[in-house]
Amino acid sequence: MVYTSKMNARSIFFIILSLTLFYPASVVRAEMFARNLTIGSKGEDVKKLQVLLNGDARTQIASSGIGSPGNETEHFGSFTKIAVMKFQGLYRNEILVKSGITNPTGYVGVATRSTLEQILKNKTV
């Protein structure tokens, strides 16, 4: 069968449309933590970090009030830092050992971001 360039263009359009509509959310989330985060950081990515941390009782930011589940903010403050430190302790081998660090820092750098992304990927699959 011989395909014309018009048919190829149409096929490509439908492939792209299908990928856009049906591609797993984990791929869309791959850039969720595209920058390092620390005390004073602000933005939607900080709020998403807080939501993820609040999803595990071991890393919950607060049990009530600001920062608690459903009350996440776009501000990386001291409670977020403490929760990140707990997270880093839970994933010691993936974050601390991999980075050559002994103690949790509360700084969301490359290794912490990578682990966060992996958790998000596993939650959406």
Side-chain angles (χ1 to χ4, degrees):
M1 179 179 247
V2 177
Y3 294 99
T4 66
S5 61
K6 185 176 181 180
M7 290 177 72
N8 285 335
R10 179 178 283 167
S11 298
I12 291 170
F13 170 78
F14 283 112
I15 290 169
I16 292 171
L17 179 63
S18 297
L19 289 173
T20 303
L21 294 174
F22 302 109
Y23 213 71
S26 60
V27 173
V28 174
R29 292 181 172 182
E31 295 298 319
M32 184 174 290
F33 300 108
R35 64 181 177 130
N36 296 333
L37 301 170
T38 190
I39 292 278
S41 295
K42 295 179 188 224
E44 186 64 28
D45 51 354
V46 173
K47 186 172 185 175
K48 291 177 181 181
L49 169 65
Q50 291 180 359
V51 168
L52 190 144
L53 293 169
N54 280 337
D56 185 333
R58 300 170 296 175
T59 58
Q60 191 173 18
I61 294 169
S63 58
S64 63
I66 296 174
S68 65
N71 295 305
E72 292 87 357
T73 71
E74 292 186 1
H75 176 72
F76 192 121
S78 59
F79 289 160
T80 303
K81 179 178 178 176
I82 292 167
V84 169
M85 291 171 72
K86 291 176 184 177
F87 179 83
Q88 290 170 332
L90 289 172
Y91 295 92
R92 180 170 299 283
N93 289 336
E94 295 86 346
I95 299 170
L96 303 177
V97 173
K98 182 178 178 181
S99 300
I101 300 171
T102 306
N103 297 313
T105 62
Y107 177 77
V108 181
V110 175
T112 302
R113 290 188 346 230
S114 175
T115 303
L116 289 165
E117 295 294 345
Q118 190 60 44
I119 289 169
L120 285 172
K121 181 181 177 184
N122 291 338
K123 283 187 175 189
T124 58
V125 172

